[in-house]
Amino acid sequence: GFDSLLRCRLAYVTAPTADEATELTKRVLAEADPALTLLRDPADGTPPPKAVGDVSGDGEPRARLFLCETDRCRPPVSDPAEATRLLAETRGIPPGTQ
């Protein structure tokens, strides 16, 4: 049947260095979802906007995944396991039907 629900997800990975973003980026790219768009920081070292350049509790910059759905954005995550959980939670596929 035809699914009339329009669904999309936008993932933005930001980090102080490309190496630090690698694991989060891999988690997003592992999602086989045509409704998921990934944006990454430019490779030229241009810093992300201040609102996105989050830091850890100790003041050190760290990699972050920001994930937005059609109607809301989720709190950012920096742990790869949390990123995997968040991506699975927002797939829009009821558990056990994949």
Side-chain angles (χ1 to χ4, degrees):
F2 179 73
D3 182 1
S4 61
L5 175 66
L6 296 177
R7 186 181 64 79
C8 67
R9 296 185 293 166
L10 174 68
Y12 182 70
V13 176
T14 184
T17 67
D19 287 344
E20 291 179 59
T22 300
E23 194 56 41
L24 291 175
T25 301
K26 283 181 185 177
R27 303 292 172 115
V28 175
L29 292 174
E31 288 284 298
D33 182 359
L36 176 62
T37 302
L38 170 63
L39 301 176
R40 293 181 271 189
D41 281 343
D44 65 4
T46 304
K50 288 282 186 202
V52 174
D54 203 354
V55 295
S56 65
D58 59 9
E60 292 296 316
R62 62 180 170 182
R64 304 287 265 182
L65 166 63
F66 294 81
L67 185 65
C68 296
E69 299 169 274
T70 304
D71 60 344
R72 64 183 165 169
C73 290
R74 301 293 184 112
V77 296
S78 58
D79 178 65
E82 275 296 299
T84 299
R85 182 201 55 76
L86 180 62
L87 289 161
E89 183 180 291
T90 60
R91 280 188 195 125
I93 301 170
T97 62
Q98 292 106 302

